[in-house]
Amino acid sequence: AAGVIQSPRHLIKEKRETATLKCYPIPRHDTVYWYQQGPGQDPQFLISFYEKMQSDKGSIPDRFSAQQFSDYHSELNMSSLELGDSALYFCASSSIRQPRVKNTEAFFGQGTRLTVV
Amino acid sequence: AQSVSQHNHHVILSEAASLELGCNYSYGGTVNLFWYVQYPGQHLQLLLKYFSGDPLVKGIKGFEAEFIKSKFSFNLRKPSVQWSDTAEYFCAVTSTYGNNRLAFGKGNQVVVIP
């Protein structure tokens, strides 16, 4: 079965550079979530999109932005990178079909490991 | 907002030993509960989930968890672990009335010694 695809798998950037992470959800999934997992940390929710509209916002820095496109893939854009942005960035997708559906499971991608040097 | 507590961050045990990982959440409403496993360098994989119904949930790889509503707990168990169960385990919760964001616990790093 198709899974959530993230690219690139690894990325090395210098401080103050920009980075773009891509996420391709499972076909027919309408919701995408982004999480950041720092070294030895639990995943922290950044932002989510439902039907191409931002549906929820967590602890996402102002230097980061994201969007979901018409084909439902999503991109996380990160500017003015800092050393502390080094982390594993997970994308997950789910099929909600309408807001506030009770029971739904999110499927995670392999993640993009970003290293800022 | 929901919060999740996991205790005993580092657990070391021998093969064939039993494993129990505690998870407590704080949220006044109805929640969905999950346990994820993350093998070294890998992505999060769902072990099991609870939405409603039988509070004893069976998942993959011989894991099970019990939802005790009165204790706000969702503890994970496996009767006999294997070396391949070495991984980090995360408990997570979503509200049934919300935008489905997962709130994770800090995780349990489990090391199984052959």
Side-chain angles (χ1 to χ4, degrees):
Chain A
V4 177
I5 306 296
Q6 290 187 247
S7 68
R9 291 292 308 279
H10 301 273
L11 190 58
I12 300 175
K13 290 285 186 178
E14 295 187 354
K15 283 193 303 184
R16 293 180 288 278
E17 284 193 316
T18 61
T20 297
L21 279 52
K22 296 185 179 182
C23 170
Y24 297 86
I26 291 173
R28 292 181 292 282
H29 278 193
D30 50 30
T31 305
V32 168
Y33 315 81
W34 286 97
Y35 291 84
Q36 177 192 57
Q37 186 180 23
Q41 301 294 312
D42 55 301
Q44 294 291 321
F45 172 76
L46 292 178
I47 196 167
S48 65
F49 293 86
Y50 166 72
E51 286 290 346
K52 293 153 278 184
M53 298 289 289
Q54 181 181 308
S55 55
D56 195 5
K57 189 173 181 180
S59 50
I60 183 169
D62 292 340
R63 299 177 289 107
F64 294 6
S65 66
Q67 58 180 328
Q68 186 179 30
F69 295 85
S70 57
D71 64 351
Y72 292 94
H73 95 272
S74 178
E75 295 184 3
L76 178 65
N77 298 295
M78 311 158 71
S79 63
S80 302
L81 287 169
E82 301 173 358
L83 295 178
D85 296 329
S86 295
L88 195 54
Y89 290 83
F90 286 114
C91 172
S93 74
S94 65
S95 176
I96 294 184
R97 290 186 292 280
Q98 61 180 336
R100 297 176 176 267
V101 168
K102 283 180 65 176
N103 304 330
T104 186
E105 173 189 341
F107 295 83
F108 283 82
Q110 299 273 352
T112 294
R113 185 170 296 282
L114 172 67
T115 303
V116 182
V117 297
Chain B
Q2 309 98 299
S3 68
V4 180
S5 298
Q6 293 179 244
H7 311 291
N8 302 322
H9 183 67
H10 292 96
V11 177
I12 301 174
L13 60 168
S14 300
E15 276 192 317
S18 64
L19 173 69
E20 178 158 1
L21 301 177
C23 173
N24 291 91
Y25 65 93
S26 64
Y27 183 67
T30 306
V31 295
N32 297 322
L33 296 155
F34 307 83
W35 274 97
Y36 285 89
V37 61
Q38 187 175 31
Y39 299 103
Q42 300 292 312
H43 65 296
L44 293 161
Q45 299 176 42
L46 183 69
L47 271 180
L48 45 77
K49 62 192 176 191
Y50 174 80
F51 291 156
S52 64
D54 188 344
L56 185 60
V57 179
K58 294 195 183 298
I60 61 171
K61 303 177 188 285
F63 285 90
E64 65 178 31
E66 184 176 13
F67 170 54
I68 303 179
K69 188 175 181 179
S70 61
K71 295 184 177 179
F72 297 90
S73 70
F74 189 55
N75 294 351
L76 181 72
R77 295 192 291 256
K78 184 170 183 177
S80 177
V81 295
Q82 301 172 308
W83 174 78
S84 57
D85 292 323
T86 294
E88 186 140 25
Y89 294 80
F90 291 98
C91 182
V93 60
T94 64
S95 164
T96 57
Y97 296 99
N99 290 316
N100 209 43
R101 70 158 80 175
L102 284 158
F104 288 88
K106 295 294 184 187
N108 295 103
Q109 182 64 57
V110 174
V111 175
V112 180
I113 300 170

mmCIF file of all heavy atoms in Angstrom, chain A residues 51-77:
data_model
loop_
_atom_site.group_PDB
_atom_site.id
_atom_site.type_symbol
_atom_site.label_atom_id
_atom_site.label_comp_id
_atom_site.label_asym_id
_atom_site.label_seq_id
_atom_site.Cartn_x
_atom_site.Cartn_y
_atom_site.Cartn_z
ATOM 1 N N GLU A 51 -7.895 19.917 3.332
ATOM 2 C CA GLU A 51 -8.417 20.398 2.049
ATOM 3 C C GLU A 51 -7.760 21.723 1.639
ATOM 4 O O GLU A 51 -8.447 22.681 1.251
ATOM 5 C CB GLU A 51 -9.943 20.539 2.092
ATOM 6 C CG GLU A 51 -10.692 19.223 2.061
ATOM 7 C CD GLU A 51 -10.581 18.548 0.683
ATOM 8 O OE1 GLU A 51 -10.169 19.202 -0.302
ATOM 9 O OE2 GLU A 51 -10.891 17.337 0.589
ATOM 10 N N LYS A 52 -6.449 21.748 1.771
ATOM 11 C CA LYS A 52 -5.618 22.867 1.306
ATOM 12 C C LYS A 52 -5.732 24.134 2.140
ATOM 13 O O LYS A 52 -5.148 25.156 1.795
ATOM 14 C CB LYS A 52 -5.899 23.177 -0.166
ATOM 15 C CG LYS A 52 -5.461 22.050 -1.096
ATOM 16 C CD LYS A 52 -6.275 22.011 -2.381
ATOM 17 C CE LYS A 52 -7.590 21.292 -2.145
ATOM 18 N NZ LYS A 52 -8.391 21.149 -3.402
ATOM 19 N N MET A 53 -6.469 24.054 3.228
ATOM 20 C CA MET A 53 -6.570 25.213 4.119
ATOM 21 C C MET A 53 -5.917 24.850 5.451
ATOM 22 O O MET A 53 -6.056 23.724 5.943
ATOM 23 C CB MET A 53 -8.040 25.573 4.359
ATOM 24 C CG MET A 53 -8.790 25.968 3.094
ATOM 25 S SD MET A 53 -8.268 27.571 2.485
ATOM 26 C CE MET A 53 -8.968 28.638 3.738
ATOM 27 N N GLN A 54 -5.238 25.827 6.033
ATOM 28 C CA GLN A 54 -4.643 25.576 7.341
ATOM 29 C C GLN A 54 -5.739 25.243 8.343
ATOM 30 O O GLN A 54 -6.705 26.000 8.482
ATOM 31 C CB GLN A 54 -3.864 26.805 7.809
ATOM 32 C CG GLN A 54 -3.191 26.621 9.163
ATOM 33 C CD GLN A 54 -2.454 27.869 9.595
ATOM 34 O OE1 GLN A 54 -1.634 28.425 8.856
ATOM 35 N NE2 GLN A 54 -2.720 28.327 10.808
ATOM 36 N N SER A 55 -5.613 24.123 9.024
ATOM 37 C CA SER A 55 -6.662 23.698 9.944
ATOM 38 C C SER A 55 -6.262 23.839 11.407
ATOM 39 O O SER A 55 -7.115 23.909 12.283
ATOM 40 C CB SER A 55 -7.068 22.254 9.673
ATOM 41 O OG SER A 55 -5.940 21.397 9.729
ATOM 42 N N ASP A 56 -4.950 23.843 11.672
ATOM 43 C CA ASP A 56 -4.498 23.919 13.051
ATOM 44 C C ASP A 56 -3.055 24.405 13.037
ATOM 45 O O ASP A 56 -2.316 24.163 12.079
ATOM 46 C CB ASP A 56 -4.608 22.551 13.731
ATOM 47 C CG ASP A 56 -4.514 22.619 15.242
ATOM 48 O OD1 ASP A 56 -4.461 23.733 15.804
ATOM 49 O OD2 ASP A 56 -4.487 21.541 15.872
ATOM 50 N N LYS A 57 -2.683 25.094 14.085
ATOM 51 C CA LYS A 57 -1.326 25.633 14.165
ATOM 52 C C LYS A 57 -0.773 25.378 15.545
ATOM 53 O O LYS A 57 -1.447 25.654 16.543
ATOM 54 C CB LYS A 57 -1.344 27.130 13.864
ATOM 55 C CG LYS A 57 0.018 27.757 13.694
ATOM 56 C CD LYS A 57 -0.131 29.206 13.233
ATOM 57 C CE LYS A 57 1.215 29.858 13.031
ATOM 58 N NZ LYS A 57 1.092 31.261 12.578
ATOM 59 N N GLY A 58 0.434 24.848 15.575
ATOM 60 C CA GLY A 58 1.063 24.557 16.860
ATOM 61 C C GLY A 58 2.250 25.454 17.074
ATOM 62 O O GLY A 58 2.211 26.652 16.811
ATOM 63 N N SER A 59 3.341 24.881 17.517
ATOM 64 C CA SER A 59 4.528 25.651 17.865
ATOM 65 C C SER A 59 5.433 25.856 16.655
ATOM 66 O O SER A 59 6.626 25.537 16.687
ATOM 67 C CB SER A 59 5.293 24.941 18.984
ATOM 68 O OG SER A 59 5.498 23.576 18.650
ATOM 69 N N ILE A 60 4.899 26.427 15.617
ATOM 70 C CA ILE A 60 5.692 26.658 14.405
ATOM 71 C C ILE A 60 6.277 28.058 14.464
ATOM 72 O O ILE A 60 5.558 29.036 14.673
ATOM 73 C CB ILE A 60 4.831 26.444 13.134
ATOM 74 C CG1 ILE A 60 5.679 26.624 11.869
ATOM 75 C CG2 ILE A 60 3.602 27.344 13.138
ATOM 76 C CD1 ILE A 60 4.977 26.173 10.600
ATOM 77 N N PRO A 61 7.609 28.183 14.302
ATOM 78 C CA PRO A 61 8.231 29.513 14.347
ATOM 79 C C PRO A 61 7.740 30.373 13.177
ATOM 80 O O PRO A 61 7.343 29.862 12.128
ATOM 81 C CB PRO A 61 9.726 29.213 14.201
ATOM 82 C CG PRO A 61 9.879 27.765 14.492
ATOM 83 C CD PRO A 61 8.602 27.108 14.129
ATOM 84 N N ASP A 62 7.802 31.668 13.371
ATOM 85 C CA ASP A 62 7.397 32.595 12.316
ATOM 86 C C ASP A 62 8.280 32.468 11.084
ATOM 87 O O ASP A 62 7.872 32.840 9.979
ATOM 88 C CB ASP A 62 7.441 34.033 12.835
ATOM 89 C CG ASP A 62 6.366 34.280 13.881
ATOM 90 O OD1 ASP A 62 5.390 33.495 13.924
ATOM 91 O OD2 ASP A 62 6.507 35.241 14.658
ATOM 92 N N ARG A 63 9.479 31.940 11.253
ATOM 93 C CA ARG A 63 10.406 31.781 10.116
ATOM 94 C C ARG A 63 9.972 30.629 9.209
ATOM 95 O O ARG A 63 10.512 30.452 8.120
ATOM 96 C CB ARG A 63 11.820 31.489 10.638
ATOM 97 C CG ARG A 63 12.414 32.586 11.502
ATOM 98 C CD ARG A 63 13.778 32.193 12.050
ATOM 99 N NE ARG A 63 13.692 31.154 13.076
ATOM 100 C CZ ARG A 63 14.042 29.897 12.890
ATOM 101 N NH1 ARG A 63 14.505 29.482 11.711
ATOM 102 N NH2 ARG A 63 13.951 29.014 13.874
ATOM 103 N N PHE A 64 9.041 29.840 9.692
ATOM 104 C CA PHE A 64 8.567 28.691 8.921
ATOM 105 C C PHE A 64 7.198 29.015 8.325
ATOM 106 O O PHE A 64 6.378 29.707 8.952
ATOM 107 C CB PHE A 64 8.418 27.459 9.800
ATOM 108 C CG PHE A 64 9.694 26.898 10.374
ATOM 109 C CD1 PHE A 64 10.905 27.550 10.221
ATOM 110 C CD2 PHE A 64 9.664 25.702 11.077
ATOM 111 C CE1 PHE A 64 12.081 27.023 10.758
ATOM 112 C CE2 PHE A 64 10.831 25.161 11.616
ATOM 113 C CZ PHE A 64 12.030 25.826 11.462
ATOM 114 N N SER A 65 6.961 28.471 7.167
ATOM 115 C CA SER A 65 5.625 28.564 6.574
ATOM 116 C C SER A 65 5.356 27.253 5.852
ATOM 117 O O SER A 65 6.279 26.486 5.549
ATOM 118 C CB SER A 65 5.530 29.741 5.604
ATOM 119 O OG SER A 65 6.378 29.523 4.492
ATOM 120 N N ALA A 66 4.105 27.003 5.616
ATOM 121 C CA ALA A 66 3.746 25.759 4.943
ATOM 122 C C ALA A 66 2.487 25.978 4.135
ATOM 123 O O ALA A 66 1.727 26.927 4.377
ATOM 124 C CB ALA A 66 3.541 24.641 5.961
ATOM 125 N N GLN A 67 2.273 25.089 3.197
ATOM 126 C CA GLN A 67 1.028 25.124 2.431
ATOM 127 C C GLN A 67 0.737 23.737 1.880
ATOM 128 O O GLN A 67 1.624 22.882 1.792
ATOM 129 C CB GLN A 67 1.100 26.165 1.318
ATOM 130 C CG GLN A 67 2.227 25.971 0.333
ATOM 131 C CD GLN A 67 2.230 27.064 -0.744
ATOM 132 O OE1 GLN A 67 1.184 27.584 -1.128
ATOM 133 N NE2 GLN A 67 3.402 27.419 -1.231
ATOM 134 N N GLN A 68 -0.505 23.569 1.506
ATOM 135 C CA GLN A 68 -0.927 22.336 0.859
ATOM 136 C C GLN A 68 -1.437 22.706 -0.526
ATOM 137 O O GLN A 68 -2.247 23.632 -0.674
ATOM 138 C CB GLN A 68 -2.025 21.633 1.669
ATOM 139 C CG GLN A 68 -2.408 20.265 1.111
ATOM 140 C CD GLN A 68 -3.475 19.572 1.937
ATOM 141 O OE1 GLN A 68 -4.311 20.224 2.564
ATOM 142 N NE2 GLN A 68 -3.464 18.249 1.943
ATOM 143 N N PHE A 69 -1.005 21.971 -1.503
ATOM 144 C CA PHE A 69 -1.298 22.302 -2.882
ATOM 145 C C PHE A 69 -2.530 21.558 -3.390
ATOM 146 O O PHE A 69 -3.098 20.719 -2.688
ATOM 147 C CB PHE A 69 -0.071 22.007 -3.751
ATOM 148 C CG PHE A 69 1.105 22.887 -3.427
ATOM 149 C CD1 PHE A 69 1.984 22.568 -2.399
ATOM 150 C CD2 PHE A 69 1.339 24.062 -4.143
ATOM 151 C CE1 PHE A 69 3.060 23.384 -2.083
ATOM 152 C CE2 PHE A 69 2.408 24.886 -3.836
ATOM 153 C CZ PHE A 69 3.274 24.551 -2.815
ATOM 154 N N SER A 70 -2.911 21.865 -4.629
ATOM 155 C CA SER A 70 -4.143 21.299 -5.183
ATOM 156 C C SER A 70 -4.064 19.773 -5.305
ATOM 157 O O SER A 70 -5.090 19.095 -5.271
ATOM 158 C CB SER A 70 -4.445 21.905 -6.552
ATOM 159 O OG SER A 70 -3.358 21.708 -7.434
ATOM 160 N N ASP A 71 -2.846 19.230 -5.429
ATOM 161 C CA ASP A 71 -2.718 17.766 -5.495
ATOM 162 C C ASP A 71 -2.540 17.159 -4.102
ATOM 163 O O ASP A 71 -2.214 15.982 -3.977
ATOM 164 C CB ASP A 71 -1.538 17.372 -6.400
ATOM 165 C CG ASP A 71 -0.191 17.855 -5.848
ATOM 166 O OD1 ASP A 71 -0.184 18.637 -4.851
ATOM 167 O OD2 ASP A 71 0.848 17.466 -6.403
ATOM 168 N N TYR A 72 -2.739 17.971 -3.076
ATOM 169 C CA TYR A 72 -2.696 17.598 -1.656
ATOM 170 C C TYR A 72 -1.289 17.418 -1.097
ATOM 171 O O TYR A 72 -1.162 17.179 0.107
ATOM 172 C CB TYR A 72 -3.540 16.333 -1.355
ATOM 173 C CG TYR A 72 -5.009 16.580 -1.524
ATOM 174 C CD1 TYR A 72 -5.642 16.288 -2.727
ATOM 175 C CD2 TYR A 72 -5.758 17.135 -0.491
ATOM 176 C CE1 TYR A 72 -6.998 16.549 -2.893
ATOM 177 C CE2 TYR A 72 -7.112 17.390 -0.647
ATOM 178 C CZ TYR A 72 -7.719 17.097 -1.850
ATOM 179 O OH TYR A 72 -9.057 17.364 -2.006
ATOM 180 N N HIS A 73 -0.269 17.543 -1.927
ATOM 181 C CA HIS A 73 1.056 17.486 -1.323
ATOM 182 C C HIS A 73 1.297 18.777 -0.555
ATOM 183 O O HIS A 73 0.642 19.799 -0.800
ATOM 184 C CB HIS A 73 2.147 17.194 -2.366
ATOM 185 C CG HIS A 73 2.832 18.400 -2.936
ATOM 186 N ND1 HIS A 73 2.375 19.098 -4.040
ATOM 187 C CD2 HIS A 73 3.970 19.021 -2.549
ATOM 188 C CE1 HIS A 73 3.196 20.088 -4.307
ATOM 189 N NE2 HIS A 73 4.170 20.082 -3.426
ATOM 190 N N SER A 74 2.214 18.720 0.367
ATOM 191 C CA SER A 74 2.473 19.859 1.229
ATOM 192 C C SER A 74 3.964 20.162 1.252
ATOM 193 O O SER A 74 4.801 19.269 1.056
ATOM 194 C CB SER A 74 1.980 19.582 2.651
ATOM 195 O OG SER A 74 2.269 20.666 3.515
ATOM 196 N N GLU A 75 4.273 21.429 1.460
ATOM 197 C CA GLU A 75 5.658 21.850 1.585
ATOM 198 C C GLU A 75 5.834 22.689 2.843
ATOM 199 O O GLU A 75 4.983 23.532 3.143
ATOM 200 C CB GLU A 75 6.100 22.632 0.348
ATOM 201 C CG GLU A 75 6.122 21.789 -0.910
ATOM 202 C CD GLU A 75 6.644 22.527 -2.127
ATOM 203 O OE1 GLU A 75 7.057 23.694 -2.006
ATOM 204 O OE2 GLU A 75 6.639 21.913 -3.221
ATOM 205 N N LEU A 76 6.914 22.426 3.533
ATOM 206 C CA LEU A 76 7.280 23.192 4.710
ATOM 207 C C LEU A 76 8.506 24.018 4.345
ATOM 208 O O LEU A 76 9.549 23.464 3.987
ATOM 209 C CB LEU A 76 7.594 22.262 5.889
ATOM 210 C CG LEU A 76 8.042 22.917 7.198
ATOM 211 C CD1 LEU A 76 6.928 23.762 7.792
ATOM 212 C CD2 LEU A 76 8.499 21.857 8.203
ATOM 213 N N ASN A 77 8.358 25.323 4.369
ATOM 214 C CA ASN A 77 9.437 26.230 4.014
ATOM 215 C C ASN A 77 10.044 26.822 5.283
ATOM 216 O O ASN A 77 9.317 27.331 6.135
ATOM 217 C CB ASN A 77 8.915 27.348 3.117
ATOM 218 C CG ASN A 77 8.373 26.811 1.807
ATOM 219 O OD1 ASN A 77 9.091 26.267 0.999
ATOM 220 N ND2 ASN A 77 7.064 26.933 1.629
#
